[in-house]
């Protein structure tokens, strides 16, 4: 199969028929074999009923329905696991991403040999309250990850099949999939300016007031896991050793000074003595944390487990 198109859906029953029809026209015009995987993330409207109707009319449409709302990352992760195409393309269900971008995104993966191509909504139809925080977090992510992208959070992306089968997306990590891919060893990451269309139906469903803070926390988590996920002792161990040695040397100095120069003064009256002891304790705790983290990293089960109520055109769980 040439292309798998993964679309997270949350209360988008109005836009789905038009979106799927548009995708169908594009892939047929370019003679591409395609599947459209619609992942219903616990919608409370008629989205699943619409997906059923579309499936009856077009066998290329497949569906996954969560029993409750898990979030966009969960929807993408399940869509990735179900995808069969050589190239996997993701887009939002709100009609703000144009299906006309599909052929060029696929070409960049197949011919230009990119592992991942991220869309860049250079001209956006969003309020300033959304665009300014987005620019800040994109700038921060680019500096921390050293990936020269302008728009990490664009829903329109294309992936080589091996990429989506090698990475795991959880929590709110969908914003940083290029970072996850880079830490997994996929370094050919490109960018394409894409059209950002004004929302035609409803209002934005994903995100919220805490989006910015969550984004920074997720970035810190990805950076740590990417560097030290398989070797946490390399992070905690040196910190623990340095803290312990500082505290130990300070303690030895204070005890020596007490015995040789300050015999008339009580050692326990000096604040530096307690600071040295606390530093040694913290160092020991950090070192032990490294051991515990090593054990957890070697024995942790899969973190992605979601209740799926129904599937269409796919194997049942």
């Amino acid at each position: 199969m040439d292309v798998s198109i993964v679309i997270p859906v949350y209360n988008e029953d109005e836009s789905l028929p038009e979106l799927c029809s548009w995708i169908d026209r594009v892939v047929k015009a370019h003679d591409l074999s395609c599947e459209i995987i619609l992942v219903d993330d616990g919608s409370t409207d008629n989205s699943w009923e619409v997906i059923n109707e579309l499936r009856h009319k077009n066998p290329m449409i497949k569906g996954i329905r969560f029993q409750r709302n898990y979030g966009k990352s969960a929807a993408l992760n399940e869509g990735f696991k179900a995808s069969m195409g050589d190239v996997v393309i993701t887009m939002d269900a709100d009609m703000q991403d144009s299906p006309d971008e599909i052929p060029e995104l696929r070409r960049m993966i197949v011919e230009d040999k990119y592992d991942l191509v991220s869309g860049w909504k250079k001209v956006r139809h969003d309020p300033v309250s959304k665009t300014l925080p987005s620019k800040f977090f994109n700038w921060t992510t680019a500096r921390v990850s050293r990936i020269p992208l302008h728009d990490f959070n664009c829903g329109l992306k294309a992936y080589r099949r091996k990429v989506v089968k090698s990475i795991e997306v959880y929590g709110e990590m969908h914003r940083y999939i290029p970072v996850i891919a880079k830490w997994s060893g996929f370094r050919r990451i490109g960018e394409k300016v894409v059209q950002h269309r004004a929302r035609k139906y409803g209002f934005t469903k994903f995100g919220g007031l805490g989006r910015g803070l969550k984004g920074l926390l997720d970035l810190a988590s990805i950076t740590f896991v990417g560097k030290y996920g398989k070797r946490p002792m390399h992070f905690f161990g040196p910190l623990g050793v340095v803290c312990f040695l500082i505290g130990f040397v300070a303690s030895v100095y204070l005890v020596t000074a007490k015995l040789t120069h300050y015999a008339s003064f009580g050692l326990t009256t000096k604040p530096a003595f307690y600071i040295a002891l606390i530093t040694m304790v913290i160092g020991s705790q950090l070192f032990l944390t490294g051991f515990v983290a090593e054990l957890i990293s070697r024995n942790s089960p899969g973190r992605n487990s979601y209740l799926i109520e129904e599937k269409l055109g796919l194997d049942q769980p």
Side-chain angles (χ1 to χ4, degrees):
M1 187 173 296
D2 294 323
V3 183
S4 292
I5 301 174
V6 178
I7 305 176
V9 177
Y10 183 61
N11 293 344
E12 298 285 1
D13 56 356
E14 294 178 300
S15 64
L16 288 177
E18 184 176 345
L19 176 62
C20 290
S21 176
W22 190 354
I23 294 172
D24 186 57
R25 292 196 305 270
V26 171
V27 297
K28 286 182 177 178
H30 290 81
D31 195 26
L32 298 175
S33 57
C34 173
E35 64 177 356
I36 304 173
I37 303 175
L38 301 171
V39 185
D40 183 358
D41 185 25
S43 297
T44 56
D45 64 356
N46 295 319
S47 292
W48 186 247
E49 287 74 16
V50 172
I51 293 173
N52 271 277
E53 293 176 5
L54 293 172
R55 164 71 182 173
H56 289 311
K57 297 176 183 178
N58 188 347
M60 77 166 57
I61 295 175
K62 302 174 182 180
I64 299 173
R65 185 186 190 187
F66 289 160
Q67 288 191 12
R68 67 172 181 86
N69 177 251
Y70 286 104
K72 190 173 183 178
S73 292
L76 289 174
N77 196 70
E78 289 299 316
F80 288 162
K81 289 197 292 187
S83 62
M84 300 295 292
D86 295 329
V87 176
V88 178
I89 295 176
T90 62
M91 64 173 55
D92 294 335
D94 54 14
M95 297 287 292
Q96 291 190 280
D97 296 331
S98 172
D100 288 334
E101 307 283 358
I102 292 173
E104 178 60 16
L105 287 171
R106 177 182 176 274
R107 187 200 66 77
M108 294 179 71
I109 296 292
V110 174
E111 298 181 14
D112 295 343
K113 306 300 181 182
Y114 283 106
D115 295 316
L116 184 157
V117 178
S118 181
W120 174 18
K121 298 175 182 177
K122 194 171 184 178
V123 179
R124 301 190 59 165
H125 298 280
D126 289 323
V128 175
S129 60
K130 189 174 181 180
T131 56
L132 285 182
S134 179
K135 288 181 179 180
F136 171 74
F137 289 114
N138 284 321
W139 180 86
T140 303
T141 305
R143 296 304 181 279
V144 173
S145 66
R146 297 183 181 180
I147 302 175
L149 297 181
H150 294 85
D151 191 355
F152 284 83
N153 196 32
C154 179
L156 189 57
K157 290 183 173 67
Y159 309 83
R160 189 177 306 280
R161 172 183 168 83
K162 186 177 180 180
V163 175
V164 301
K165 298 302 182 181
S166 302
I167 65 175
E168 183 183 28
V169 189
Y170 58 91
E172 298 292 328
M173 300 297 191
H174 60 273
R175 302 183 183 95
Y176 301 110
I177 291 181
V179 184
I180 297 174
K182 179 184 176 182
W183 289 126
S184 298
F186 301 101
R187 299 185 178 277
R188 286 193 54 80
I189 299 175
E191 186 172 55
K192 180 185 183 301
V193 176
V194 297
Q195 179 185 4
H196 184 223
R197 307 172 72 247
R199 174 177 276 273
K200 187 174 182 179
Y201 302 103
F203 55 91
T204 183
K205 311 301 193 308
F206 295 103
L209 294 177
R211 180 180 181 183
L213 178 59
K214 291 179 180 178
L216 285 177
L217 294 174
D218 286 339
L219 179 58
S221 177
I222 288 175
T223 302
F224 174 80
V225 172
K227 288 185 176 180
Y228 302 106
K230 300 297 184 183
R231 45 189 177 92
M233 178 57 83
H234 289 190
F235 177 80
F236 291 105
L239 288 177
V241 170
V242 170
C243 286
F244 184 86
L245 288 177
I246 291 174
F248 180 77
V249 171
S251 298
V252 170
Y253 170 78
L254 290 171
V255 171
T256 302
K258 163 68 177 175
L259 295 175
T260 59
H261 301 293
Y262 305 103
S264 60
F265 296 94
L267 185 62
T268 57
T269 62
K270 292 183 175 295
F273 176 73
Y274 294 100
I275 294 174
L277 289 181
I278 291 173
T279 305
M280 292 176 65
V281 170
I282 292 175
S284 299
Q285 289 179 332
L286 285 171
F287 196 77
L288 290 174
T289 298
F291 275 121
V292 174
E294 285 283 345
L295 292 174
I296 293 174
S297 67
R298 295 175 186 274
N299 296 281
S300 60
R303 69 175 71 242
N304 276 315
S305 179
Y306 308 110
L307 296 175
I308 296 175
E309 185 171 332
E310 189 176 351
K311 289 185 177 181
L312 295 175
L314 299 164
D315 294 335
Q316 292 291 332

